[in-house]
Amino acid sequence: MPTIQWKIESENEVESTNILALKRARMGESEGLVIRALSQTNGRGRMGRKWFSPPGSGLYFSALLRPPVATDQTALISLIAGVAAAEGIADITRSSVGLKWPNDLRLGGKKTGGILCEYESAGGPSPAIVVGIGINLKIPPNGFPEEFGKRATSIEETGTTVDGGETLHAILERLDYWYRGFLEDGFGDIRSRWEALCDNLGERIHLSAAGKSIEGKMVGIDHSGHMLLELPTGEVREFESGEVVEG
Ligand code: BTN
């Protein structure tokens, strides 16, 4: 499978790079489009949240993919993107970046980046997945909105100043590698790599799922990317969605 030819478009301020990339997907844009912005006025996060996207502080971009796989496989793209982003940031910073299911990027247990994948079936030969990635590059500890508490960090706190463009290229290089590996050989290697990068594997966590808080030990992910949680009874249950609220 050939390397993806990324077509990077840079914007100053946009509402949301995901919104723009979804619009382009509906217009039939092919795989490989990347929209990057220096700031977003309505950056979208998971679970309907906003993504804090002030100018001069982060890397915000969306990459358009058209994976020729069954719809039930497309959820895996977001875990693939998590692995790619963790490796790309680690390549640039030489710091170890951890993953928290499903795809928070963490430094020292605090969130430094997130991924929001959105699906668009209209407008192309195969459905599009817009992979939206936001990374806090340069935000001082007291620079985050109050509701983040002490759970957020930025790469600058590792003592490294990184360039957004360089980080973008490092992530796209890893995304190309893992995405092509997935299309050629399936999810197996990515699953192992994801688990190796997971920074709370084997730890006791609280998962908020379907309105309940469930306590258990995070023991991995399955072939569908679902979280595997070992309950106090010893039973291992899989969760397709939810949020780790502690741990
Ligand atoms: C999360 O909640 O953890 C996911 C955050 C994803 C934010 C990125 S920033 C670039 C892209 N455009 C958006 O509107 N959201 C994603």
Side-chain angles (χ1 to χ4, degrees):
M1 206 203 150
T3 310
I4 298 177
Q5 296 304 305
W6 299 113
K7 181 175 107 182
I8 302 174
E9 295 183 5
S10 296
E11 305 286 344
N12 193 10
E13 181 180 271
V14 301
E15 185 184 5
S16 148
T17 56
N18 268 28
I19 293 176
L20 286 182
L22 285 165
K23 200 187 273 176
R24 295 282 288 277
R26 283 192 291 277
M27 289 161 65
E29 182 74 45
S30 18
E31 176 165 272
L33 172 72
V34 175
I35 301 182
R36 177 191 176 191
L38 295 182
S39 68
Q40 302 181 112
T41 53
N42 189 21
R44 304 212 280 214
R46 286 183 67 235
M47 314 233 168
R49 297 194 189 107
K50 295 246 180 293
W51 186 256
F52 185 54
S53 317
S57 306
L59 172 63
Y60 320 111
F61 71 95
S62 302
L64 195 161
L65 298 174
R66 291 195 183 273
V69 295
T71 320
D72 64 347
Q73 297 257 295
T74 55
L76 299 175
I77 300 292
S78 132
L79 295 150
I80 294 168
V83 168
E87 289 189 348
I89 299 169
D91 284 348
I92 296 286
T93 59
R94 303 274 145 220
S95 299
S96 129
V97 181
L99 289 172
K100 182 183 101 168
W101 188 85
N103 46 25
D104 279 3
L105 298 154
R106 301 206 291 188
L107 282 166
K110 291 183 182 182
K111 182 159 174 168
T112 194
I115 295 167
L116 176 69
C117 288
E118 299 191 78
Y119 182 85
E120 178 56 71
S121 59
S126 52
I129 306 283
V130 165
V131 180
I133 303 187
I135 296 161
N136 305 326
L137 299 178
K138 257 200 285 182
I139 304 178
N142 58 1
F144 290 98
E146 217 168 282
E147 66 267 22
F148 286 41
K150 294 195 184 325
R151 287 171 285 119
T153 188
S154 80
I155 288 177
E156 192 182 51
E157 279 193 64
T158 63
T160 329
T161 308
V162 293
D163 177 67
E166 230 181 287
T167 311
L168 171 66
H169 283 99
I171 295 173
L172 290 177
E173 190 274 317
R174 299 319 291 154
L175 183 59
D176 175 55
Y177 172 84
W178 286 111
Y179 177 63
R180 286 187 297 121
F182 167 64
L183 297 182
E184 278 162 17
D185 306 319
F187 188 61
D189 285 353
I190 299 152
R191 178 181 173 186
S192 316
R193 186 67 184 129
W194 192 95
E195 289 182 341
L197 288 166
C198 176
D199 67 0
N200 57 5
L201 196 75
E203 287 178 17
R204 202 143 284 286
I205 60 161
H206 285 86
L207 181 75
S208 165
K212 288 192 193 144
S213 172
I214 304 144
E215 194 189 336
K217 188 160 89 176
M218 163 64 180
V219 289
I221 55 173
D222 70 6
H223 62 279
S224 304
H226 299 172
M227 175 197 265
L228 297 173
L229 193 67
E230 187 185 295
L231 304 180
T233 56
E235 179 202 350
V236 175
R237 268 181 65 188
E238 49 114 1
F239 291 87
E240 182 178 355
S241 59
E243 193 175 23
V244 178
V245 282
E246 223 179 279

